[in-house]
Amino acid sequence: MDKLHIIGGRPLHGRIVIGGAKNAALPLMCAALLTREKVTLDNVPYLADITTMAKLLMQHGAALSLQDNPPPLGSAPHYSRRLTLEATHIASITAPYDLVRTMRASVLVLGPLLAREGRAKVSLPGGCAIGTRPIDLHLMAMEALGARITLEEGYVLAEAPAGGLKGGDIHFEKVSVGATENALMAACLASGTTCIRNAAREPEIGDLTALLTAMGARIEGAGTDTLIIHGVTSLAGAQHRVIADRIETGSYLAALAMTGGEIELEGARPDTLGAVIEAMDHIGVKMVEEEGILRVTRRAGALTPRDIITEPYPGFPTDMQAQLMTILTQAEGDSAISETIFENRFMHVPELTRMGARISVSGHTATVHGRTPLKGAPVMATDLRASVSLVIAALGAEGETTISRIYHLDRGYERLEEKLAACGAEIKRVR
Ligand code: UD1
């Protein structure tokens, strides 16, 4: 199994190209099931989760082709990929356990399959490292559109009424990114009008709305918590560029906060990172945007502590919680971090503690007692964002850190070690 070896203490200097957002690309790929025509996605990141979604869509009958557009010589290491998806016929309405189990976002085929075929059979995702993560809100949304839901041997069987899904009122009692996306995609092909209230407002949902609109969907209220969808009878193909990954961007901001130096982030979308930028600025990171480049440095002196509460967008993202916790170990004083989105999302705490951090957890709040020097140690990645927080800790630690189980990182960070090494980090993948 691959591991990362990192020797800490090197400031980062250089340019990093930000890739397309994994969390945008996954639902965009599922949207291709809504049409017989070609959907072309540019700026698709090359990640394990994208490969898993490609496998799932192929077994549903979609034809996929990937074109690499290698970067010009001498530019920062990043590939922009064009993925073409064409689901002329749906070969299977079943999303099997093996694929759903490895990636929860597989459940995003439910809405499109049900809307197009009138039936979908999707495995229940099962437990997950960062909490129980049920799919009740997804199912409630499908029922609100007239579907009948039954559970059969670990699978959800959803059946539309005769004549297909019907527009309806969907009111989410809790904000859910995935359930909003499933509801949105299904409603596009439902007859009549659907209103989704308390919809998630993450930028990735804006990206999905943009693709669906380009395909011919009629959606009002994009970017707000109330979406009105006027159903259409069919959707056409379209071309779309995947939005920049705000969590990848935020992770490199955190890396720079840890190491110091100066990096330029190319292709970032700071407008999608409001709460993260505000927190980073408070902590001591200086960010200046010029001609599409975000120039990042660290202010002189110690980092400033900061309390953080994770919330749905536009609040502080749970996917940046572990990275912020890591840099706050270097702040002069205590910071309280409250995780309100997922239970059990502090699995990085024992690993950071092994490296010298002092963090006490009580319920859903972790208090980081800064500042403590970090020391290299063997540590283990436990989930995607926890893994990158260990990389960030290792970059700032004295001595060598070995991170095992980095398959988690490969799910969501493209060429992480190459991008960091190009900026002077001592980081190596060992097989
Ligand atoms: C998405 C992101 C993930 C991010 C999360 C929150 C993708 C592929 N993944 O995950 O990186 O951490 O948003 O920003 O985009 N919930 C229910 N019932 C449901 C659905 C969700 O109770 O039917 C709960 C979850 O357990 C969680 C909360 O709602 O506590 C938010 O989850 P949700 O927004 O649905 O996360 P995902 O879409 O799975």
Side-chain angles (χ1 to χ4, degrees), residues 377-389:
V379 288
M380 202 170 72
T382 50
D383 73 49
L384 172 55
R385 307 304 170 183
S387 322
V388 83
S389 75

Side-chain angles (χ1 to χ4, degrees), residues 23 104 133-138 174 176-178 319 341-342:
N23 287 356
R104 189 184 146 80
R133 301 180 87 175
I135 59 163
D136 55 322
L137 299 171
H138 299 248
K174 183 171 185 178
S176 161
V177 176
D319 286 353
I341 308 292
F342 293 115

Side-chain angles (χ1 to χ4, degrees), residues 77 82-83 126 260 266 287 293 318 341 361:
R82 167 171 289 190
L83 180 64
E266 188 182 324
M287 294 150 284
I293 303 286
T318 175
I341 308 292
V361 176

Side-chain angles (χ1 to χ4, degrees), residues 7 31 49 68 92 106-107 119 142 170 174 178 186 200-201 230 239 251 254 330 343 348 370 372 403 424:
I7 297 176
D49 275 8
D68 273 1
S92 157
S106 307
V107 78
R119 291 178 82 227
M142 299 305 124
I170 300 171
K174 183 171 185 178
R201 286 181 282 165
H230 305 287
Q239 184 168 347
S251 302
Q330 302 309 300
E343 63 205 78
H348 39 288
T372 50
I403 308 178

Side-chain angles (χ1 to χ4, degrees), residues 222-247:
T224 75
D225 65 358
T226 306
L227 299 170
I228 311 271
I229 303 110
H230 305 287
V232 294
T233 49
S234 68
L235 291 170
Q239 184 168 347
H240 179 82
R241 185 177 167 82
V242 181
I243 193 172
D245 196 319
R246 64 196 166 99
I247 306 300

Side-chain angles (χ1 to χ4, degrees), residues 53-370:
M53 183 59 84
K55 277 190 204 154
L56 179 63
L57 297 179
M58 285 193 285
Q59 72 86 44
H60 287 309
L64 271 71
S65 72
L66 185 67
Q67 273 171 273
D68 273 1
N69 304 312
L73 278 177
S75 68
H78 178 76
Y79 277 68
S80 169
R81 288 177 185 75
R82 167 171 289 190
L83 180 64
T84 306
L85 306 100
E86 193 172 14
T88 316
H89 301 288
I90 300 295
S92 157
I93 54 137
T94 304
Y97 176 64
D98 277 358
L99 291 170
V100 182
R101 181 177 54 96
T102 50
M103 188 183 63
R104 189 184 146 80
S106 307
V107 78
L108 294 174
V109 298
L110 174 66
L113 287 174
L114 180 61
R116 175 153 164 200
E117 295 294 296
R119 291 178 82 227
K121 188 175 170 189
V122 175
S123 169
L124 285 166
C128 152
I130 58 171
T132 45
R133 301 180 87 175
I135 59 163
D136 55 322
L137 299 171
H138 299 248
L139 303 183
M140 177 280 284
M142 299 305 124
E143 281 177 330
L145 299 178
R148 205 169 69 90
I149 306 283
T150 46
L151 296 180
E152 242 176 48
E153 294 167 358
Y155 279 77
V156 168
L157 184 62
E159 283 174 290
L165 294 177
K166 294 188 172 32
D169 257 334
I170 300 171
H171 190 148
F172 289 118
E173 62 185 34
K174 183 171 185 178
V175 179
S176 161
V177 176
T180 301
E181 291 165 343
N182 243 333
L184 182 58
M185 289 189 279
C188 288
L189 288 182
S191 59
T193 297
T194 297
C195 179
I196 306 178
R197 290 177 220 277
N198 201 23
R201 286 181 282 165
E202 269 65 5
E204 293 75 25
I205 292 177
D207 214 34
L208 177 61
T209 306
L211 171 66
L212 293 169
T213 305
M215 291 166 72
R218 292 175 53 216
I219 303 166
E220 293 165 22
T224 75
D225 65 358
T226 306
L227 299 170
I228 311 271
I229 303 110
H230 305 287
V232 294
T233 49
S234 68
L235 291 170
Q239 184 168 347
H240 179 82
R241 185 177 167 82
V242 181
I243 193 172
D245 196 319
R246 64 196 166 99
I247 306 300
E248 184 190 25
T249 307
S251 302
Y252 288 119
L253 292 178
L256 190 282
M258 180 58 87
T259 63
E262 177 168 359
I263 53 171
E264 295 175 336
L265 301 181
E266 188 182 324
R269 283 278 305 270
D271 57 311
T272 61
L273 276 153
V276 172
I277 287 187
E278 193 269 318
M280 290 284 183
D281 182 58
H282 173 100
I283 291 167
V285 180
K286 191 171 164 207
M287 294 150 284
V288 180
E289 195 187 1
E290 273 170 7
E291 295 168 13
I293 303 286
L294 191 62
R295 192 158 288 119
V296 193
T297 50
R298 190 172 69 181
R299 291 201 189 87
L303 298 178
T304 308
R306 164 80 187 210
D307 293 346
I308 283 163
I309 301 177
T310 62
E311 286 171 325
Y313 193 85
F316 190 90
T318 175
D319 286 353
M320 279 297 300
Q321 180 255 105
Q323 299 88 314
L324 258 281
M325 184 183 294
T326 305
I327 61 173
L328 287 169
T329 62
Q330 302 309 300
E332 213 62 69
D334 289 359
S335 306
I337 300 183
S338 300
E339 173 59 60
T340 72
I341 308 292
F342 293 115
E343 63 205 78
N344 196 20
R345 206 176 193 182
F346 286 143
M347 283 172 309
H348 39 288
V349 170
E351 302 303 304
L352 291 173
T353 305
R354 288 169 56 73
M355 298 179 71
R358 281 205 307 127
I359 304 168
S360 41
V361 176
S362 167
H364 67 271
T365 300
T367 305
V368 184
H369 308 285

